[in-house]
Amino acid sequence: MKEFVELLARALVDNPDQVAVNEVEGEKSVILELKVASEDMGKVIGKQGRIARAIRTLVKAAAAKEGKRVVMEILH
Amino acid sequence: MTSIETTGRTVEEAIEAGLDKLGVEKENVNIEVLEEASRGFLGILGTREAKVRLEVIFTPEELAQEFILKICECMNLKVDISHNKKGEYHHFYLTGEDMGILIGRRGDTLNALQYLVNLAVNKKLSKIGARARIIVDIEGYRKKREKTLERLAMRISEKVKKTGTKVVLEPMNAQERRIIHYTLQGSKDVETYSEGDDPYRKVVIAPK
């Protein structure tokens, strides 16, 4: 799941080497904390959060296949 | 095909500089060495930098296909992809097992996928001054949805005509709203317009 968020984020930002994802595993849910370079924040959030929403939608679909609940947070 | 020329103290440095400029990997370019570097005489006379030409060989098709495949791999989905080009649109058709997961409720996941593929591909293409529009369809979902929306538009327009009151449809994305507008474009009895903001923007079908 971590790799998935990394793949998506790296494809969107100007500084792919500064993309980092931290996976915090809970009992039923997984929290994925996405960090990108500060100038890339807009690239993973988008106008009115449209990009972030699209990433979340895909990650949720991937997680659902494995019977997990995923929360993705963008840290700054 | 886009190409750039760069220089450096050595051929390798010139290539590196070019790849940096283009923001691509070595496997995405054809390299032609135009001039080898020369140290000249005693490092003073006739020093010359190496000069190379890099020709970008990736196409929108290759970029999109690669990205879609990587996503499917991450999701443990086995897919077959076929592709064709209609005007400025590149269409990708995905088939395979468990494709429902990638379509999602009302195509939510499919639309998210298509959106991100467009962003990622155009990000790379922008470096060579190009653009592409990519449509992703899974197991004929979009075709089916198009037919459904056309039928919906016709049905609701009949209702609006009969009752004389407007009907507000559920939120849809731009592509889907377009289908409704397009279907009822020539109607004598009803007019259509959209209201609200994405992602909750809705089509209204109102009596003329």
Side-chain angles (χ1 to χ4, degrees), chain B residues 91-150:
Chain B
H91 289 253
F92 287 85
Y93 306 94
L94 278 54
T95 52
E97 275 172 44
D98 279 344
M99 283 294 110
I101 284 170
L102 211 50
I103 296 173
R105 190 181 154 271
R106 293 268 154 79
D108 279 354
T109 311
L110 171 58
N111 288 330
L113 172 72
Q114 175 174 301
Y115 180 55
L116 293 180
V117 170
N118 272 283
L119 284 178
V121 168
N122 281 305
K123 172 158 185 54
K124 285 213 167 173
L125 287 178
S126 68
K127 285 173 184 147
I128 55 171
R131 264 200 74 80
R133 286 180 191 247
I134 289 145
I135 309 276
V136 183
D137 197 0
I138 300 174
E139 301 277 3
Y141 173 82
R142 286 205 193 283
K143 265 257 136 49
K144 260 182 260 164
R145 179 85 177 139
E146 199 178 309
K147 289 272 169 297
T148 308
L149 289 173
E150 281 169 10

Side-chain angles (χ1 to χ4, degrees), chain A residues 49 51-61 71-74:
Chain A
I51 300 174
R53 198 179 317 121
I55 297 175
R56 287 197 176 103
T57 302
L58 275 186
V59 171
K60 268 187 191 151
V71 182
M72 188 198 77
E73 281 167 15
I74 299 168

